[in-house]
Amino acid sequence: MPIRLPGSPRFARSRAVLVSRLLPRRVRMRLTLLYGLMFVLSGAVLLTITYLLANRPNGFFLFSRGNVGGNAALPADGGIHLYPDSMAPSAVGAFAEAQRQQAVRQHAAEMHDLLIESGIALAIMSVIAIGLGWLIAGRVLRPLRTMTSSIQRISARNVHERLAVEGPGDELKDLADTVDGLLGRLETALDSHKRFVANAAHELRTPLTVEHALLEESLIDRDATVDSFRSNFERLLVLSEQQARLLESLLTLSSSERGPDPDRREPLDLGEVAEQLVLSWRAEAQRRGLRVDAVTTRADIWGDGALVERLVANLLDNALGYNVPGGWVKVAVGVEGGNAVVRVSNTGPTVPPDRVGRLLEPFQRLDRSSGDGHHGLGLSIVRSIAVAHGAALRAEARPNGGLVVEVAFPSREPSHAREFRAAESR
């Protein structure tokens, strides 16, 4: 039968559960008990010290008048003399003993009365201390109750409200400011989510409307021929492919914002990934009359292979899609400043510098027309994947048109490589 040791984790958990059940659940009651307990202990220590000091034996003294009754043992000057208990003359020894016994009894009675009266006073003051502790705890926790009720009233419809606690810069003020900062970030995220949903609905509604019109045209046209049906179906296929790409982009954006799965992180050569993608996109670039130049070197990183490949593919797709006839695309991969950097630059239409940051947001394009199949999600997916991998993203407009987009990944540390090799050996 296993023995539960006092230091075992199971014993510690059992003790924690027992303590949590014995303690009151309300903070105000716990603070009241804490205040009352501290007062009782302080009062008990103070009374104990007072009792010990008062009960300290100090001895007693005898007074006698010299040569009373012709006693030769006493001084003959006739004055009043003070004798300690141990130095009293033998002539007054019996009297001294009687007085000592009476003083001892009187002192014991006084200390007994002092002990009882001190205990009664401590009990009365303990009750008063508990009551005052209850009031003080309520006063201390009142700002927390106010903040709690205010937070409970905040929902998606009034997330713009703030606690706005005024007063000294104490811990409660810091807590209120922290909650206000959190609400501000939530408001920003909620607004971004609303814009994203609205833009996604708009992007999906347009092809659905066109599809509905094409299907309705085929049904109401009594003179429709096989060629007209084929033409409508071809247009429907194109619209369906565009919607499929849009949905795939939305799923990629969602998964990249959650971050890479730790089980899918692996060592990658960013240069090799970029080189393979450049080879696969070169035919498309030639079809569009564009030139693609690539200079890649080994750059080791640690990440999700599918997401990193999508990042580089989106950079190439954006560079090829928003270009000009006879233009070029340059891809460079290498290690700079301890980071693995992929840089894609391209010619293209002039991009206002103040609009470069907006192009990293979902559904943002220089040209609002999406007839080319682009929905403005490419660079936003790049940004989400970069953030998920702890990479730094930089985008700037070229003076003669086009963009330069650079993503700097943290280089793979040797410890990661050793960890991956050890996992493979297992």
Side-chain angles (χ1 to χ4, degrees), residues 202-256:
H202 174 75
E203 295 290 339
L204 290 172
R205 183 178 60 183
T206 301
L208 288 176
T209 303
V210 177
E211 287 181 357
H212 179 78
L214 291 175
L215 292 174
E216 186 177 33
E217 178 184 351
S218 300
L219 290 176
I220 64 177
D221 187 5
R222 298 184 180 276
D223 298 329
T225 62
V226 175
D227 293 336
S228 63
F229 276 111
R230 182 181 297 276
S231 176
N232 287 342
F233 289 158
E234 290 176 352
R235 295 175 63 186
L236 287 173
L237 283 176
V238 172
L239 291 174
S240 178
E241 292 176 355
Q242 291 181 359
Q243 292 182 73
R245 287 196 298 269
L246 174 60
L247 292 176
E248 183 181 0
S249 299
L250 292 175
L251 290 175
T252 303
L253 181 61
S254 175
S255 61
S256 61

Side-chain angles (χ1 to χ4, degrees), residues 268-276 278 293-301 308 311-312 315-316 330-336 339-344 406-407 409:
L268 301 171
D269 181 4
L270 189 59
E272 182 180 355
V273 172
E275 186 175 356
Q276 293 178 356
V278 168
D293 298 326
V295 178
T296 61
T297 58
R298 186 177 182 84
D300 294 327
I301 63 172
V308 173
L311 179 144
V312 180
L315 290 177
L316 289 171
K330 294 181 180 179
V331 180
V333 178
V335 178
E336 298 179 4
N339 295 323
V341 179
V342 53
R343 184 183 301 108
V344 178
E406 177 182 292
V407 182
F409 289 87

Side-chain angles (χ1 to χ4, degrees), residues 37-50:
L37 180 62
M38 292 300 296
F39 177 82
V40 171
L41 292 178
S42 301
V45 171
L46 178 61
L47 292 180
T48 301
I49 295 174
T50 303

Side-chain angles (χ1 to χ4, degrees), residues 55 102-117:
N55 196 30
Q102 181 180 358
V104 169
R105 289 192 297 271
Q106 182 178 358
H107 180 71
E110 291 176 353
M111 295 307 300
H112 182 264
D113 294 340
L114 176 63
L115 184 62
I116 294 178
E117 293 172 356

